[in-house]
Amino acid sequence: MYHLIVFLPLAGAIIAGGFGRFISPRASEVLTSGFVVVAALLSCVALANVGFGGQERIIHVLSWMDSGALTIDWALRIDTLTAVMLVVVNGVSALVHVYSIGYMADDPHRPRFFAYLSLFTFAMLMLVTADNFVQMFFGWEGVGLCSYLLIGFWYKKPEANAAAIKAFIVNRVGDFGFVLGIAGVFLLFGTLNFDEVFAAAPELAGTSMTFLSWQFDALTVICLLLFMGAMGKSAQFLLHTWLPDAMEGPTPVSALIHAATMVTAGVFLVCRLSPMFEFAPFALDVVTVVGATTAFFAATVGLFQNDIKRVVAYSTCSQLGYMFFAAGVSAYQVAMFHLFTHAFFKALLFLGAGSVIHALHHEQDMRKMGGLSKMLPWTWTLMLIGTLALTGVGIPFHVFSDLPNIGFAGFFSKDAAIEVAFASHGRFAGYAFWLAVVAAALTSFYSFRLLFMTFHGASRVSEATLKHVHEAPWVMMVPLILLAVGAVFAGGLFAEYFIGYGEREFWRESIFVLPDTHILHDMHEVPKWVKLSPLVVTALGLGVAWYYYIRRPDLPPKMAAREGLLYTFLYNKWYFDEIYDFIFVRPTVWIARKLWKVGDGAIIDGLGPDGISARVIDVTRRVVRLQSGYLYHYAFAMLLGIAALITWFMWNTAGGAQ
C-alpha cells in the first residue's frame, strides 16, 4: 500500500510527461488525477492504521549509497508525522488535479502541466517519507525544481519566467545552509540516518566546534543551518520575497504550493528534527523569533494588496509564521495541527480565487471586481467559509462552561498557537504572543477586505466581462466543496488527537519533547482573556473592514491617492525587493559587467584573440600573400635578393679597403 501511495504520482508523471502527446491531453489529465486520487484514499487508510492503530514501520525500498562510512538506504519512514503529511499532500494534490481539469481546459499543454503536478506531488512524498537526510534532500530539491517548472509554466510571459528564476535563486540561498547542515550532521554524528542521529543527540548535546578560533555549540550551529533551509522553502522573513511573485503560475499551482507541498516542507523539517532541536534551545529561540516576525510582517503587507492571489499568498506566509513559532516553543503538535487545518482552507481560498479569475477572464485586480455574490453564489459561499476558517471564527464555550467549543478549522489550530505562545516560558514567547494577536487582527481585516471588495458593494466589472460571468463547472466546484467540508470540520474533529489529551497516543515517538516540557497541558490553563483575545481582535478586524469597504467605500481610494508614508511602506512590501536589489542585485550586475568588459573583453580578449593572436594572424596573412604562385614574382624576388646581396658585398668590400 505504501509503495502505491508514494509511486503512483510518479507513474502518472512519467506517463503524462513521456507519452502525453500519444495518449491525448484528456487521457493524461484523467490518468494522473486518477492515480493521485487513489494515493489520497490510501493515505487516509494509512493515517487510520498508523495514527489511530499504531502500526508505525520503516519499509526498505533498496540500497542506495555505500561509500566508506556513509551507508544510505532508500526507505519509507511511516509514522504518524508521515501519515499526516501523506493525507495533506495527496489529499490536496488530488483535489487540485481534478480542479485543474476544468481550470486548464483551454491550455494546449495540459499533458506537461499534469506531469509537472504529479512530479511535484511525488517529490514532496519523497521528502515526508524520508528516513535519512540524503533522501530528504532528494525530495527537498525535487520540490524546488518542480516549483520552478510550474511557476514558469507559461514561459512566454516574461513575468512568469522572472518569478520562476526568483523562486529558484532565493531557495538556493536557503538550501546552501541546508547542505551545510547535513554536512555538519555527518561530521558530528558520523551518520545521516534519522534513528541513529536522534538516538545520539542527547549524548552529543553541548559538544563544541571551533570556527575561526571561536567556540560554538555544534548542535545549535547544525540546527540553525538546517533551519536556514526551512526559511527558504517556507518563505520566512528575509527569504520570503519569492512567494508573492510565485502567483505568476497557474492558480492550481499556487494552491498546491501554498497548501500542501513546498512551503509546508520547512515546518515538517523542524517537527521531524524535534529530537535535535530540543537540545538546541538557542536554535528554538531563533525559530520562535523568525516565525513571529513573519506572522506579523506578512499580515501587514497583506493589508493593502490589490491582487486577489497576492493577498492569499501573504496570508500563507503569515500562517506559516504561526506554525514556526509554535514549533519554536516546543509545541510541535500545534504546528502540525495548524499545518493540517491550514491545508484545507488555504487550498479552498486559492481555488476559490481561481474560480473568480476564471469567471472574469483572468482578471485578478480586486479593484475591478465587486458585486459578484449574486452572480457567483456558490463561489461566494465557499470563499466565505474559507475566510471564516482562516480568521479563526468560533465560539469558545469552554471558557465559560463545560460545553465544547464550536468553530471553523482555524479557530482550533490558530488559537492553539497563540495560547501555547502565552503558556510557554521561552525567552521570546511573549514577543511571539503579542505579534500573533496583532497579526490575527490584521488577518481578519485583509481577509474580509478581500471578500467585500470581490463579492460585495457596487460592481466595478467591465460591461464586456460582466456579460460572460458564470460559475465554474462542477469539475472545479466539487473539489471546492470537499475542501470547504475540511475547513469547517477538520479542527473540531482532530483537535483531541493532535493537541488534546489523546495526543501522546496519536503522535507516539514521531515527535519528541523533553520530559519536563508540558506545554500542551499548560495551554489549557491560560487565562480567559488569552483564550478570548483572538476572537476579539478578529471581530475588530471584521468591523474595520466592513466600515471601510461596505459602509464608506469612498475612503480607501482617497487614502491610496494620498500615498501616505505608512500606506506606501506597506503597499511596497517594506521595500524588501528594492533593498535586495540595491544590496545584492546591482553590485552583482556591476561586478559581472566589469568582469565582462574589463576582465574578459579588455584583458583576456585583448591579450588573447584580439591581442597577440590577432597580430600573429595579421603577420601570417601578409607573409602568405608573398606566395602568389607566379614565376615572374619569384624571379623578381630573386633579382631583388641578388641586388641586395651584391650591394651589401660591395659596401663591405669598400669599407675594408679604406
Side-chain angles (χ1 to χ4, degrees), residues 91-110:
V92 173
S93 180
L95 296 176
V96 168
H97 272 75
V98 174
Y99 178 93
S100 299
I101 294 176
Y103 191 87
M104 302 293 290
D106 298 327
D107 195 285
H109 306 292
R110 296 199 303 280

Side-chain angles (χ1 to χ4, degrees), residues 423-475:
S424 172
H425 301 292
R427 286 180 291 181
F428 298 98
Y431 173 82
F433 170 75
W434 287 110
L435 285 190
V437 171
V438 174
L442 301 179
T443 300
S444 176
F445 173 81
Y446 67 67
S447 297
F448 284 104
R449 171 180 178 265
L450 182 152
L451 198 70
F452 294 151
M453 289 185 69
T454 304
F455 294 100
H456 297 274
S459 175
R460 298 175 297 278
V461 182
S462 65
E463 291 295 332
T465 303
L466 204 58
K467 295 177 182 179
H468 304 286
V469 173
H470 60 281
E471 282 284 16
W474 281 105
V475 71

Side-chain angles (χ1 to χ4, degrees), residues 260-378:
T261 53
M262 189 158 167
V263 298
T264 63
V267 180
F268 172 80
L269 172 70
V270 174
C271 294
R272 171 60 80 200
L273 303 184
S274 58
M276 297 174 60
F277 276 89
E278 282 296 285
F279 295 99
F282 180 77
L284 284 179
D285 288 341
V286 173
V287 174
T288 303
V289 171
V290 171
T293 305
T294 304
F296 172 76
F297 155 76
T300 62
V301 176
L303 292 175
F304 303 120
Q305 299 301 309
N306 295 312
D307 187 306
I308 187 171
K309 288 173 64 177
R310 281 183 181 268
V311 176
V312 185
Y314 277 110
S315 166
T316 298
C317 194
S318 181
Q319 298 308 305
L320 288 167
Y322 279 85
M323 301 174 205
F324 273 110
F325 76 67
V329 297
S330 296
Y332 306 98
Q333 301 91 332
V334 174
M336 288 302 301
F337 185 36
H338 195 42
L339 184 154
F340 179 75
T341 61
H342 176 265
F344 291 102
F345 56 75
K346 187 49 57 70
L348 174 60
L349 287 171
F350 261 114
L351 297 184
S355 180
V356 174
I357 295 168
H358 182 268
L360 299 181
H361 295 280
H362 302 286
E363 179 59 65
Q364 296 182 201
D365 192 336
M366 295 187 298
R367 293 171 296 185
K368 299 178 182 179
M369 299 180 188
L372 295 176
S373 59
K374 295 181 179 179
M375 290 173 278
L376 304 173
W378 279 93

Side-chain angles (χ1 to χ4, degrees), residues 200-265:
E203 299 177 5
L204 294 176
T207 302
S208 298
M209 62 180 294
T210 303
F211 180 73
L212 296 178
S213 302
W214 291 344
Q215 293 290 321
F216 298 96
D217 181 77
L219 198 56
T220 298
V221 172
I222 290 171
C223 288
L224 288 176
L225 289 171
L226 294 171
F227 178 61
M228 183 177 173
M231 288 175 63
K233 277 290 180 289
S234 294
Q236 292 300 282
F237 187 68
L238 301 180
L239 293 180
H240 65 278
T241 53
W242 67 269
L243 192 63
D245 291 349
M247 298 304 98
E248 293 296 337
T251 300
V253 174
S254 303
L256 193 57
I257 290 177
H258 286 250
T261 53
M262 189 158 167
V263 298
T264 63

Side-chain angles (χ1 to χ4, degrees), residues 496-517:
E496 176 64 23
Y497 302 103
F498 277 72
I499 60 173
Y501 293 106
E503 56 87 18
R504 291 188 180 275
E505 291 74 21
F506 182 76
W507 293 109
R508 295 179 183 83
E509 304 300 324
S510 62
I511 288 177
F512 173 82
V513 293
L514 295 175
D516 58 348
T517 300

Side-chain angles (χ1 to χ4, degrees), residues 481-545:
I481 294 172
L482 294 177
L483 288 169
V485 172
V488 174
F489 297 108
L493 290 177
F494 289 93
E496 176 64 23
Y497 302 103
F498 277 72
I499 60 173
Y501 293 106
E503 56 87 18
R504 291 188 180 275
E505 291 74 21
F506 182 76
W507 293 109
R508 295 179 183 83
E509 304 300 324
S510 62
I511 288 177
F512 173 82
V513 293
L514 295 175
D516 58 348
T517 300
H518 306 288
I519 185 68
L520 294 188
H521 176 270
D522 295 341
M523 67 176 284
H524 297 292
E525 307 299 328
V526 298
K528 292 181 180 180
W529 69 268
V530 174
K531 293 179 178 293
L532 292 174
S533 59
L535 180 61
V536 172
V537 297
T538 297
L540 177 63
L542 168 60
V544 174

